[in-house]
């Protein structure tokens, strides 16, 4: 079972840049047909999709976050990274990485989630 682990600073000041990393336990999904997303959940609210990097390296972002967000990957380290600049207190929440790829059959998919990492934006 592949495991994903998010890491990064728990506390960030307003207007600073957030950098998070998601590391997979092995390269079986970072070097194959998997798309990776970052998803966050503000306190008391639902999940918000932030963006995705596809298997071929294309990136797509939530339009409301696009101007402040960047997703990249380093397959040599089995890592996906998120950078978000000009942080605001409303960016506080739990940040998750997610990987989706083909399953064993044509009609199945594999979905992996990290456990999430708390990010608090406060001075």
């Amino acid at each position: 079972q592949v495991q994903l682990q998010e890491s990064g600073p728990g506390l960030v000041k307003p207007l600073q840049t957030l950098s998070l990393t998601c590391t997979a336990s092995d390269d079986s999904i970072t070097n194959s047909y998997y798309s990776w997303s970052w998803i966050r959940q503000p306190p008391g609210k639902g999940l918000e999709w932030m963006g995705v990097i596809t298997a071929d390296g294309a990136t797509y972002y939530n339009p409301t976050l696009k101007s402040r967000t960047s997703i990249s990957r380093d397959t040599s380290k089995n890592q996906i990274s998120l950078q978000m600049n000009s942080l605001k207190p409303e960016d506080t929440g739990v940040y998750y990485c997610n990987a989706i790829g083909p399953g064993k059959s044509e009609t199945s998919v594999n979905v992996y989630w990290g456990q999430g990492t708390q990010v608090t934006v406060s001075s």
Side-chain angles (χ1 to χ4, degrees):
Q1 179 75 14
V2 176
Q3 295 183 340
L4 307 182
Q5 180 66 59
E6 303 92 344
S7 60
L11 179 64
V12 186
K13 294 182 178 179
L15 301 181
Q16 287 188 337
T17 297
L18 172 68
S19 294
L20 296 178
T21 298
C22 176
T23 303
S25 56
D26 62 57
D27 66 0
S28 62
I29 61 175
T30 52
N31 291 323
S32 59
Y33 301 102
Y34 276 75
S35 292
W36 293 72
S37 294
W38 284 97
I39 296 161
R40 68 181 184 179
Q41 185 169 29
K45 298 184 178 180
L47 296 173
E48 179 182 31
W49 177 76
M50 301 180 69
V52 63
I53 184 165
T54 65
D56 60 2
T59 53
Y60 304 91
Y61 299 100
N62 183 323
T64 64
L65 303 174
K66 183 177 181 178
S67 65
R68 302 192 292 131
T69 305
S70 177
I71 296 174
S72 60
R73 68 182 178 187
D74 186 339
T75 55
S76 68
K77 297 180 181 179
N78 301 329
Q79 289 181 340
I80 304 295
S81 298
L82 170 74
Q83 283 205 320
M84 173 176 262
N85 57 36
S86 303
L87 286 184
K88 311 170 186 178
E90 49 264 45
D91 292 316
T92 294
V94 180
Y95 285 68
Y96 299 92
C97 66
N98 161 284
I100 299 176
K104 293 182 178 180
S105 71
E106 292 182 352
T107 57
S108 68
V109 294
N110 290 330
V111 182
Y112 300 101
W113 286 85
Q115 65 183 20
T117 187
Q118 173 70 43
V119 173
T120 301
V121 182
S122 175
S123 55

